[in-house]
Amino acid sequence: MSSVAPPDRLIDDDEIMGNPQPEGNDADATMADGNGVSDDSSEEAEDDEEEEKRIREGFIVDEDDEEEEDDDEERRRRRKRRKRRHRRREEEEEALEEDDLELLEENTGTSFRNRLTRLRRGREGSPSVASSRRKQVVESSEDDLDNDDDLPQVQDIQRIWDDERAGGGREDEEDMDDFIDYEDEEEGAGAMDEQEREERRKERKKLERQRRKAMGSRPELAGIDANAWDEIHDVFGDGHEYDWALEGDDELEYDERSKPEMKYQDVFEPSEIRARMLTEDDDLIRAQDIPERMQLATSSLSPNATLSLHQNLTEADIDDAATWVTSRLSSRKTRDFFSPDGPYQSYSEALVLAVSYALRFLFVHEFEEMRARVELISLSELWRIYALGQKYRSLLDRRNALIASYARLNVEDEYFVQSIRPKIECVEMVADATEWLSMKCKVNKQDSFDLHFHDDEDLDRKRKTPSRISAYEVAKKSIVARLADGFGIRPHEVVQNFIANDRPNFVEDQELNPVAFAEQFTTPESVVSQAPEEVLRRARMILATEIGKDPLLRQSMRDLFKTEAQISVQPTDRGVNKIDEHHPYFNFKYLHHKPITQMLDSAQFLHILAAEAELLVTVSIYLTNEAKAKFERQLNDAFASDSYSDVARSWNEERSRVVQEALEYHLIPIGLKWAREWLREEVEDALAIHCGNKLKERIDVAPFITGDAQPGYTPSVLAISWGKGDPQKDAITLVLLDEMGRLREQVKLDNLVDRDYHDEFTDLLKRRRPDIIVAGGFTMATAKLSSRIKEIVNGKTSSADAEGNISGWGTEPTNEQVFDIPVIYVNDEVARIYQHSRRATEEFSTLSPIAKYCVGLARYVQNPLNEYAALGSDIVAISLEDEDQHLIPKEKLLSALERALVDVTNKIGVDINRAVTDSYYQHLLPFVCGLGPRKAQALTRKIASIGGNLVNRDQFIKSSLLTTKIFLNGAGFLRISHDTELKPTKHRHADDDVQDPLDDTRIHPEDYELARKMATDALELDEEDIHDEHPSHVVSLIMQDNDNERKLNELNLDEFAVSMYEANEDRKRHTLNVIREELLKPFAEQRAPFPPMQPWDVLTMLSGETIRTLRMGLIISVLIFRIDKFSNAVMVRLDSGIEGIINMEYMSDVGNVLPQNIVKKGQTLQGVIVDVKLDLPADHFYVELSIRPSDLNQGDGLFRRVKRDEDWNTQQYERDLELQARKKRAETDRTRRVIKHPNFHNFNATHAENYLDKQQRGDVIIRPSSKGVDHLAVTWKVDDKLYQHIDVTEINTGQGTVLVVDDKHQYADLDELIVNHVQATARKVEELMAHEKFKQGSEDELHLSLKNFVAANPAKSIYGFTLNRKKPGHFNLCFLANKNATVQTWPIRVTPESYCLFEAAVAGVPELCDAFKVRHLHQSQNLGATGAGGKTPYGAGVRTPGRTPGHTTPGHLSVRQVASRTPNPYGGQTPAIGFGGNVPTSSYAMPPSQPLGGQTPSAFSRPPIAQPPPHVPPGMNPQRAALIQNSNGWGSGGW
């Protein structure tokens, strides 16, 4: 295909936007091609002036009528040829597929994709108007025009729109418009005469001229006549001679413009977009002027954080929200502030007011944290208020949705409006009210109730109506509803009586007793008459359902469960055996009647749920009998009648049944389900808060400081690690970080003993002078490293042992240089995560993992908060609560840990300029109030775009770095440190370059005036004194004043605060205190000093051992590595690497015995822990043990036993103990049999089946029997998941032991039993399974196969075999006589020597088939149904196998006679008793077939006519298949 564009190509971009052509060259421009030469085959037009004039006026000159008639046929032929060419060209272009394009590009080096894509796009259409018009022109020129003589050339046609796009007009456009219109008219309105056509042209030309006049003229074209244009055209051409050279660029430009805008969603995977926070939700979070954490439904640390859809509270909602939140703040607050005898009952209104202020800041003004501390509320309670506020917002959304749905019902329900709606205070009540309204309205107004929430996608779509109708709905629509109304009181009135202290509704008594009253509603004329008792039952069901679904009554039941419920735990059969006294679940194994209120303070309930998930226990939550009886009694009182007549008592009994049914089927189940989930939520929340507090303890500490350093100073750190401490593999790695956290030096040393390495280490200390040395590692060898470092730092040295190993470090004092550098251990849990993290690879790609580990240690010492904040979502991997943390859902744990990070980060503030330049320090920025990962990312990018450095906080607003609410949230925590030399920056106003000392304090910008006022008053200055200075100049003066503390303390802040409150009601007393402290010490260190690690913490970090694993009295395994002959002590090592010692007095009970006489080096023995010695300053950790027999004999069960819960079911525990002891004694009494046989195993039935599951068919297991010591059980594999268990009785006779299976099968030993019984039976089974009539699968599948065959062949009958899955070792013979019959099934029992069809035994499968056919024929004749089946089911038309082809006649010798002695498959002698002896033969007088095992005797011969064997069936042993083939089983005849 040529690369030259076809005539119908789209107009190129340079043609669209190119220079306009002069008006005077209309005819030439229309008729000429790109080279100025016409390619028209017709004669040239005559130079007629009148014709040219008419052309300039916008007409195309028509030929004479005679010529038009003559050429009419010619034009049609041309049009057809053009259409064919156009269609062929399109097919060729469309046929060029992707592979063709790749091949063309590969061979020519030219890209055809853009050009061809552009062509295809041109045909399909373009969104622009110009494109569509161009398409119209092209199509007209190809398909619709009559005469090529009048056609303008293609390129000139493509130029006709140029002037229109350039804003001018040309007459040739008029000509072309007329030309197109002419053809359109000729096709669409052929009957129009010439005059009408001309009038229409004139009208369109007039409109076109008006349009062009409005667009303006082209002055550069004025004054050029047609002759001038002819000369210009002759000299310069039409400007398109070199279009071929620009074609590629034009197409490329066109493609770039026509391509859709590329978005990152088209390039990156959705998971990567989420990880980079580039989703639409992320953009929305960044843009909204709302704190980021308040926009999220989950923690901002979570990689799956989602956007919250809750609406913010309004001022109208604050009072209700404050009351709702305060009542749920904590039980202590409720008790102290709202109980009548509470110590702070008088401050209850003040507490509600404080909560309303907090909610107003949180959800109205959208402040993430209150800057002013309210004395009534602690910081932890403020977070609780925040969480409850979120829940209230959710409740408000759902409650509003419920009210809107009720309004759509267009019904009036006084009970709902006055009683239910005002008391909806939880989402459970919203759900209850929804269900109640649905129940009430569903009967009369189906589908009218439809609840819509804010996240419903399509509110107008129709929902499918449930097809099931409840019994309540059926009864409610029947006459039974009238009987329910006869109970004298409506259900909601019962609930009102129950809730109210008095009794506003009374019962109307009936004159008849319930049964007599119910007889009126039995409707005897109905099809199914109902007894009065049944009608009464249905009426009770109606009332019980309506009472049980009442939202107020359900809430009362939930409140009752919340306070009065109890929990009991019962172990399952599996749990009884698995949960022993040392199991962690033993604590609650027999928990009994534990109050639910006592489960809130621990994680026990979460462990119970985990045990239940493991199917070890069952959990029961229930009401106490007293609470349940009280509730039932109150409900009965609200429902019962006060009359004392017999009729009233009868009705009260019916009402009591209604109450019992409502409790049993509705109220108690809903309360139980809610209590379970509520308790789980409460415990998870409490445990998450506990983990958050643990994290806060670790991060709310200042960097480590030496004695003379100022608080807040960041030290330089030298981190050292020996890794796992292997002298042959691990080197000592040293990493030095300076005060700014930058890596300054990284060194590796083989040891610290050799002089060269020793000098290199000391030289490093001299050069760098670190403030602190940190030691860390993964084994106890780290303690030796720390000890050696302390020796060098303190001026001591050591010599290597004989082998030069570090493990032989010894010390001797010398006069080495002494360094005053502390050596400490630090918690390395963050460093262990960091060394393998992607962050470490990005920051220090060249460092080894141990060096990265050292970087983590050093950073932890410099700023623990920064290290934990940098973990991100991996922070959940930190172990804060060893036993319970894994029970907390990840999202809850992340939220709790994030709150701890937010608290401490805002406590110390973030230097915004450092955060922009330091990517590691930048991890703190998302935890500033108002910010988050997305907003922090956007903020740093904006600051970097204006120069990367801020001078004052005003720039956050002036430079549009933060929105208003975000600025108000975070301004007080974003500090701007003072720079002595201000760096030049761009895009900054002159007045922005002024630093403000208040920007480096915790004082919020809205309180700057207060700070300046306090500084002015403290310095006793007037406004005139500082008029020309910066507003914060006085702040600088008071900060630099040596006596500033006295001057500020002399201010009367209380009076100042009172005056502010009286003037503007501003509560600023606490704020004034904060301002005074900040003026004295800006951003003073408020964190606790860096805590040293405790000895047990160090031991756990290095070895993994804890106080629990090294408790005194535990027995552990130790390895002897040295015997000290001088002290007669034995040095041992635990598996964890901790060393231990066994002194001579703990070696023997008989006195002091030399250790060499008792133990030896390298021996492993058990020892009892006597004591654990921990000497952290000396880095000495060891365990003292005892190996005396008297100590070991006592065991350590008492020390390992898990403590039982106080609420313990002792009786059940003792009963289970007794039952277990009885079973154990029975197992002990039943001695384990030991039989020397390769197939014998001490298995039970389940173990045997599991063992045989992967074996082949016919494999056998012999095992003990549960029937006694004189029984054996034989299990063999019949098929996959099918096993036969044979009970074998051992009978001792005078001649020996006989193994009896049944009366006909007795064997002398196990070998004979296996070969002559099991394997013989297996052979029979496999022989039948190899038959063509055998169907693998279930019996139902065989039935379906038979039915399908008969349906396809109505004149035939069919039969088949399948395994009997219910009786292993048996088969089912299923047959279908004809299409009108049913499938019948006959049982087949398999014995070692025959198949038994009912009681008839046959030797082989052909004989079995014959026996079946004879029996079936006999039954058919006896039943007189010879015509029923059409034919005897001989297997779909196969002739009756009277004589089996290739075999002997059935009934005689289908299986060959073999030698009388059976070979022993185990190589022993042939058994003397019964082995190959008299075995019962079949009813066909057949001798037993050749048993399997061993080699085939020579007398065993092949059939006379050998047939090719089919494939071996799956799962069949190949040797058995060969035996079956050689005997009689795989011939082709007879089956």
Side-chain angles (χ1 to χ4, degrees), residues 887-1040:
L887 300 172
I888 311 173
K890 184 178 179 180
E891 294 298 335
K892 284 189 177 181
L893 183 59
L894 279 174
S895 297
L897 301 182
E898 181 186 23
R899 292 173 184 177
L901 292 170
V902 169
D903 288 344
V904 181
T905 300
N906 292 281
K907 186 176 182 178
I908 65 172
V910 175
D911 188 338
I912 184 62
N913 289 327
R914 182 184 172 188
V916 173
T917 58
D918 188 345
S919 60
Y920 171 66
Y921 184 76
Q922 197 178 105
H923 288 105
L924 292 176
L925 193 58
F927 300 102
V928 173
C929 287
L931 300 181
R934 298 157 188 82
K935 290 185 179 292
Q937 183 188 71
L939 176 60
T940 54
R941 290 178 178 175
K942 289 180 181 178
I943 296 175
S945 67
I946 64 170
N949 189 55
L950 298 183
V951 179
N952 52 50
R953 287 174 175 169
D954 292 341
Q955 288 182 268
F956 285 117
I957 297 298
K958 291 182 179 180
S959 300
S960 300
L961 302 177
L962 294 176
T963 53
T964 303
K965 292 175 181 177
I966 306 303
F967 175 77
L968 293 176
N969 268 271
F973 311 112
L974 295 172
R975 57 186 301 186
I976 300 178
S977 302
H978 289 178
D979 292 336
T980 56
E981 298 181 0
L982 186 62
K983 299 178 182 179
T985 56
K986 56 183 178 179
H987 306 301
R988 183 179 290 163
H989 299 290
D991 56 352
D992 289 341
D993 293 336
V994 180
Q995 295 180 341
D996 194 329
L998 292 175
D999 291 339
D1000 197 18
T1001 66
R1002 293 184 175 93
I1003 303 173
H1004 196 274
E1006 69 179 10
D1007 296 325
Y1008 277 7
E1009 290 301 323
L1010 290 179
R1012 295 162 182 164
K1013 173 66 174 173
M1014 289 177 61
T1016 303
D1017 293 344
L1019 295 173
E1020 298 180 353
L1021 298 175
D1022 297 330
E1023 293 184 1
E1024 293 79 6
D1025 299 332
I1026 56 174
H1027 179 70
D1028 296 331
E1029 301 290 342
H1030 187 274
S1032 295
H1033 177 66
V1034 290
V1035 177
S1036 301
L1037 295 178
I1038 193 64
M1039 287 181 175
Q1040 298 170 4

Side-chain angles (χ1 to χ4, degrees), residues 703-709 713 715-720 736 761 765 769-776 785-794 818-826 861 1090 1092 1176-1177 1179:
F704 185 91
I705 57 174
T706 55
D708 56 347
Y713 170 77
S716 60
V717 183
L718 177 63
I720 306 176
L736 182 82
F761 178 68
L765 296 181
R769 291 287 177 178
D771 296 320
I772 186 174
I773 299 175
V774 179
L785 173 64
S786 175
S787 177
R788 177 58 183 153
I789 295 171
K790 291 177 181 178
E791 292 172 1
I792 298 176
V793 170
N794 294 329
V818 177
F819 300 93
D820 186 16
I821 304 175
V823 181
I824 65 170
Y825 296 98
V826 294
V861 175
F1090 193 91
L1176 185 59
D1179 299 293

Side-chain angles (χ1 to χ4, degrees), residues 235-303:
V235 175
F236 300 103
D238 62 353
H240 293 278
E241 288 84 353
Y242 299 98
D243 284 350
W244 60 271
L246 302 176
E247 184 177 359
D249 296 337
D250 296 339
E251 291 173 353
L252 181 61
E253 180 181 358
Y254 181 85
D255 284 333
E256 291 177 353
R257 294 179 55 189
S258 62
K259 284 182 181 178
E261 183 181 356
M262 184 67 69
K263 298 181 180 180
Y264 53 81
Q265 289 91 342
D266 303 326
V267 180
F268 299 103
E269 291 290 335
S271 59
E272 189 172 356
I273 294 176
R274 285 195 299 270
R276 295 175 180 269
M277 295 180 294
L278 295 175
T279 64
E280 294 180 358
D281 286 350
D282 295 325
D283 295 337
L284 180 62
I285 292 171
R286 270 187 287 266
Q288 289 191 114
D289 189 16
I290 302 175
E292 181 168 333
R293 271 173 285 275
M294 294 183 63
Q295 298 185 57
L296 298 175
T298 55
S299 169
S300 65
L301 292 176
S302 173

Side-chain angles (χ1 to χ4, degrees), residues 425-442:
E425 295 186 347
C426 59
V427 292
E428 291 82 9
M429 286 198 70
V430 175
D432 293 339
T434 302
E435 185 179 357
W436 184 84
L437 276 177
S438 177
M439 177 191 69
K440 297 290 288 185
C441 302
K442 201 169 187 180

